[in-house]
Amino acid sequence: QSALTQPASVSGSPGQSITISCTGTSSDVGGYNYVSWYQQHPGKAPKLMIYEVSNRPSGVPDRFSGSKSGNAASLTISGLQAEDEADYYCSSYTSSSTVVFGGGTKLTVL
Amino acid sequence: EVQLVESGGGLVQPGGSLRLSCAASGFTFSSYWMHWVRQAPGKGLVWVSRINSNGGSTSYADSVKGRFTISRDNAKNTLYLQMNSLGAEDTAVYYCARDRNFALDYWGQGILVTVSS
């Protein structure tokens, strides 16, 4: 049950676009379309931003989008805003019928 | 409004036990799989366990298998996590969360468990 691999940090200026990668294996990310993305502000509970690779829950701005290719998934945030500054985590269902998270990526809005 | 409220956390000595509860409201609890996720201070999210809607199927992270037990009482709309043989590595905020095809769409506010002598 190794954690999915995410970059430790990314940054961007307001209005720009950024992409956060999430790399797994054929036993998790590559094997199922059950990749999710979460946003977590300091001291708060995580919030679901993307489910099933590319679907947005109601209320999540369409600036957030997700995709997958092979064993890697990506979260793209376009039109970056100050309030997007947070930690982001990917997760995936696995062949062991478990869930695995990525190590998290700190997004800084410059 | 969906609400998940954890309770039962606190300070426990190494080797001790603790039972967390998660009271659910605002949705048909018995229709949903549920999960526990934890986050050590300053660290990332780590999945702990999940249970199916009727309690008949469970799975665990390797790090807690054999020590933690997830269960639920659908009549009381409550999810549980029994934690035994606790060690310092189990110190974390524990979240309960509702499942949506292995995405966690609603989370509780979290409850702190501290394992220390």
Side-chain angles (χ1 to χ4, degrees), chain A residues 1 34 36 38 40 43-48 50-52 56-58 87 89 91-93 96-104, chain B residues 33 35 37 39 43-48 50 57 59-63 65 95 99-110:
Chain A
Q1 294 179 350
Y34 291 133
S36 306
Y38 303 87
Q40 186 180 35
K44 301 295 187 181
K47 175 185 177 183
L48 178 65
I50 297 287
Y51 67 97
E52 292 174 11
R56 281 186 312 276
S58 174
D87 293 327
Y89 296 90
S91 76
S92 175
Y93 176 72
S96 302
S97 194
T98 63
V99 172
V100 61
F101 282 95
Chain B
W33 292 28
H35 298 256
V37 175
Q39 186 170 34
K43 303 296 185 180
L45 301 174
V46 176
W47 178 82
V48 172
R50 68 93 181 144
S57 172
S59 64
Y60 299 90
D62 287 345
S63 59
K65 200 174 296 183
Y95 296 97
D99 178 273
R100 178 182 184 170
N101 280 347
F102 301 102
L104 281 56
D105 63 350
Y106 286 93
W107 296 63
Q109 84 285 356

Side-chain angles (χ1 to χ4, degrees), chain A residues 21-94:
Chain A
S21 61
C22 171
T23 304
T25 69
S26 58
S27 296
D28 39 63
V29 173
Y32 309 92
N33 286 326
Y34 291 133
V35 176
S36 306
W37 289 91
Y38 303 87
Q39 176 191 66
Q40 186 180 35
H41 287 108
K44 301 295 187 181
K47 175 185 177 183
L48 178 65
M49 304 302 284
I50 297 287
Y51 67 97
E52 292 174 11
V53 177
S54 60
N55 295 303
R56 281 186 312 276
S58 174
V60 173
D62 61 6
R63 302 185 294 103
F64 292 83
S65 62
S67 64
K68 190 185 89 165
S69 178
N71 295 338
S74 296
L75 172 71
T76 297
I77 308 174
S78 59
L80 209 55
Q81 299 182 3
E83 59 262 37
D84 299 333
E85 184 163 295
D87 293 327
Y88 290 85
Y89 296 90
C90 62
S91 76
S92 175
Y93 176 72
T94 82

Side-chain angles (χ1 to χ4, degrees), chain B residues 68-90:
Chain B
F68 288 13
T69 302
I70 189 172
S71 63
R72 64 191 298 160
D73 186 336
N74 285 344
K76 294 183 177 180
N77 291 340
T78 303
L79 175 73
Y80 302 102
L81 186 67
Q82 177 67 44
M83 304 185 295
N84 299 330
S85 302
L86 286 162
E89 69 278 10
D90 297 313

